[in-house]
Amino acid sequence: MTEDQMAYFERQTPLPDFSTDAVHSDKVLVPENVVSTGTLPAVERVHELIEAAHERYRGLDDGKVADYIPSLGEADPALFGISVCSVGGLTTSVGDSAHAFSIQSISKVFVFALVCHELGHSEVSRRVGVNNTGLPFNSVMALELSDGDPRNPLVNAGAITTTSLAPGSTAAEKWDFVHRGLSRFAGRQLEIDDEVYASESATNQRNMAIARLLQSYGRMQFDPIQATDVYTRQCSLLVTAEDLAVMAATLADGGVNPITREKVIDASVCRDTLAVMATSGLYEFSGDWLFEVGIPAKSGVSGGIVTVAPGKGGLGTFSPRLDPAGNSVRGQRAARFLSHSLGLDIFASTPGVF
């Protein structure tokens, strides 16, 4: 890790203290007995709540923009957008929800789903793994301690392995599969940010080293440098918070895109993908997220978080200020607020009537 990266990952910014966020006292919220079953409220009510979340957290200036990748360091830290898409295709957004940014590690979720759809549950589990490392997303130590096991598809080692498993005998064929697949999730043709791709390609020596290390353990069945390049390309695709909401809603709706109505993946693959998101989606803070927010999610260092409420819909947030693990600070707060107010927490329930 370079000195700049070391400085970035020093824990100078504490994990957001959710316990001091008096969510339940806010008058805009619905009663606490709203649980994860059922459907989203009417779109007007959803819009009212995401507006409240945006107003509540837009002034929060904790965290810092990711600057270890030069192009990401240029992001405006004031940007903040929220979007919700129901499984029925109703979408509502506030703030900078149409601002384009590179998808970064959020792409890992959808590439994992696409590869699972092609290879099957057991094969991907055997080749990639599904357990949280408890270490940073680009940790070499995690790979060494596990005898070369990538551990899960949402850290860089597992993501590069997953991308290498995409169908195709050449890098171009693998890239075409990944690009087409992520575009189908979004319901539109996604484009690469050439500046981000060039910036990341010039600074991704660590990922190339991880790929080489995977090869030394016999975990790579494709050229490691070419696999890393395809992975870098997928991370450079441009999305918006609105795109993330649609992509999340596709996972919430058994693999059917709620806008295009195209079936992208099987429902069983959605289940597998959400399970991995729940345990590893926010890196070493995944346990805190699951305990406080209670929804499968995945973050990216450009400031996006994609959040899935199974059977209900998807939430996409964007704000570039990050905590030390690389998760958007405002995005986490907004997601917790909306998890409670919209009844998204998959662990929430109320006593039955006998």
Side-chain angles (χ1 to χ4, degrees), residues 103-234:
I103 191 170
Q104 297 298 326
S105 287
I106 293 173
S107 66
K108 297 171 181 176
V109 166
F110 300 100
V111 175
F112 173 74
L114 293 165
V115 171
C116 276
H117 184 77
E118 292 294 317
L119 301 185
H121 172 104
S122 298
E123 181 66 10
V124 175
S125 177
R126 182 182 69 82
R127 300 280 291 274
V128 182
V130 292
N131 289 309
N132 195 307
T133 67
L135 293 169
F137 61 85
N138 61 352
S139 174
V140 175
M141 183 185 299
L143 195 56
E144 292 276 42
L145 290 175
S146 62
D147 195 31
D149 184 349
R151 301 299 289 171
N152 73 71
L154 304 188
V155 293
N156 289 11
I160 293 169
T161 304
T162 303
T163 297
S164 76
L165 296 174
S169 58
T170 67
E173 290 172 348
K174 291 180 183 294
W175 166 242
D176 182 64
F177 171 83
V178 168
H179 188 196
R180 284 188 295 104
L182 267 66
S183 296
R184 291 167 66 208
F185 268 110
R188 69 181 186 89
Q189 183 76 3
L190 299 179
E191 298 180 356
I192 281 186
D193 185 321
D194 291 327
E195 182 181 350
V196 169
Y197 172 60
S199 183
E200 294 203 34
S201 295
T203 58
N204 69 352
Q205 291 85 1
R206 188 177 185 85
N207 282 340
M208 288 190 285
I210 287 172
R212 288 288 195 194
L213 186 57
L214 286 164
Q215 182 187 39
S216 75
Y217 279 106
R219 301 282 182 172
M220 292 288 289
Q221 306 302 313
F222 188 69
D223 180 82
I225 302 305
Q226 293 186 59
T228 303
D229 181 66
V230 175
Y231 168 72
T232 305
R233 286 177 181 270
Q234 78 185 42

Side-chain angles (χ1 to χ4, degrees), residues 11 91 94 119 148 158 171 173 181 207 233 261 270 276-277 281 338 343:
R11 295 178 178 274
T91 302
V94 297
L119 301 185
E173 290 172 348
N207 282 340
R233 286 177 181 270
R261 305 311 303 168
C270 288
V276 174
M277 290 173 70
L338 293 168

Side-chain angles (χ1 to χ4, degrees), residues 26 69 75 151 221 282:
D26 197 304
I69 298 172
R151 301 299 289 171
Q221 306 302 313
L282 273 81

Side-chain angles (χ1 to χ4, degrees), residues 5-352:
Q5 289 172 320
M6 288 290 289
Y8 177 75
F9 284 109
E10 284 179 356
R11 295 178 178 274
Q12 297 175 346
T13 305
L15 178 70
D17 183 3
F18 291 116
S19 65
T20 63
D21 191 16
V23 172
H24 294 296
S25 66
D26 197 304
K27 292 181 180 179
V28 76
L29 300 183
V30 294
E32 291 185 12
N33 63 355
V34 174
V35 296
S36 62
T37 56
T39 59
L40 288 172
V43 68
E44 295 80 9
R45 179 59 173 161
V46 174
H47 187 77
E48 176 187 352
L49 289 168
I50 65 173
E51 277 192 324
H54 189 270
E55 178 64 26
R56 187 181 184 108
Y57 298 117
R58 67 179 182 177
L60 183 64
D61 60 1
D62 293 349
K64 58 179 293 187
V65 173
D67 54 10
Y68 66 95
I69 298 172
S71 62
L72 297 187
E74 300 171 3
D76 180 354
L79 291 168
F80 183 27
I82 305 173
S83 183
V84 171
C85 180
S86 74
V87 293
L90 294 176
T91 302
T92 184
S93 306
V94 297
D96 302 303
S97 59
H99 180 85
F101 58 95
S102 56
I103 191 170
Q104 297 298 326
S105 287
I106 293 173
S107 66
K108 297 171 181 176
V109 166
F110 300 100
V111 175
F112 173 74
L114 293 165
V115 171
C116 276
H117 184 77
E118 292 294 317
L119 301 185
H121 172 104
S122 298
E123 181 66 10
V124 175
S125 177
R126 182 182 69 82
R127 300 280 291 274
V128 182
V130 292
N131 289 309
N132 195 307
T133 67
L135 293 169
F137 61 85
N138 61 352
S139 174
V140 175
M141 183 185 299
L143 195 56
E144 292 276 42
L145 290 175
S146 62
D147 195 31
D149 184 349
R151 301 299 289 171
N152 73 71
L154 304 188
V155 293
N156 289 11
I160 293 169
T161 304
T162 303
T163 297
S164 76
L165 296 174
S169 58
T170 67
E173 290 172 348
K174 291 180 183 294
W175 166 242
D176 182 64
F177 171 83
V178 168
H179 188 196
R180 284 188 295 104
L182 267 66
S183 296
R184 291 167 66 208
F185 268 110
R188 69 181 186 89
Q189 183 76 3
L190 299 179
E191 298 180 356
I192 281 186
D193 185 321
D194 291 327
E195 182 181 350
V196 169
Y197 172 60
S199 183
E200 294 203 34
S201 295
T203 58
N204 69 352
Q205 291 85 1
R206 188 177 185 85
N207 282 340
M208 288 190 285
I210 287 172
R212 288 288 195 194
L213 186 57
L214 286 164
Q215 182 187 39
S216 75
Y217 279 106
R219 301 282 182 172
M220 292 288 289
Q221 306 302 313
F222 188 69
D223 180 82
I225 302 305
Q226 293 186 59
T228 303
D229 181 66
V230 175
Y231 168 72
T232 305
R233 286 177 181 270
Q234 78 185 42
C235 291
S236 304
L237 287 169
L238 287 169
V239 293
T240 66
E242 293 171 355
D243 289 328
L244 294 185
V246 172
M247 296 170 85
T250 302
L251 291 176
D253 195 27
V256 176
N257 184 300
I259 305 300
T260 66
R261 305 311 303 168
E262 178 188 7
K263 182 177 180 179
V264 182
I265 55 172
D266 291 336
S268 62
V269 175
C270 288
R271 179 265 168 206
D272 293 349
T273 304
L274 295 179
V276 174
M277 290 173 70
T279 58
S280 303
L282 273 81
Y283 304 118
E284 62 265 43
F285 288 169
S286 295
D288 295 279
W289 169 275
L290 206 57
F291 186 74
E292 298 291 350
V293 185
I295 326 169
K298 181 71 191 79
S299 62
V301 294
S302 55
I305 300 181
V306 63
T307 308
V308 182
K312 285 189 170 183
L315 166 66
T317 61
F318 169 62
S319 178
R321 288 185 177 272
L322 310 179
D323 67 17
N327 307 314
S328 171
V329 175
R330 291 184 191 133
Q332 290 179 81
R333 292 285 191 146
R336 182 181 188 268
F337 180 96
L338 293 168
S339 173
H340 286 273
S341 61
L342 291 174
L344 307 181
D345 190 331
I346 62 174
F347 302 109
S349 60
T350 54

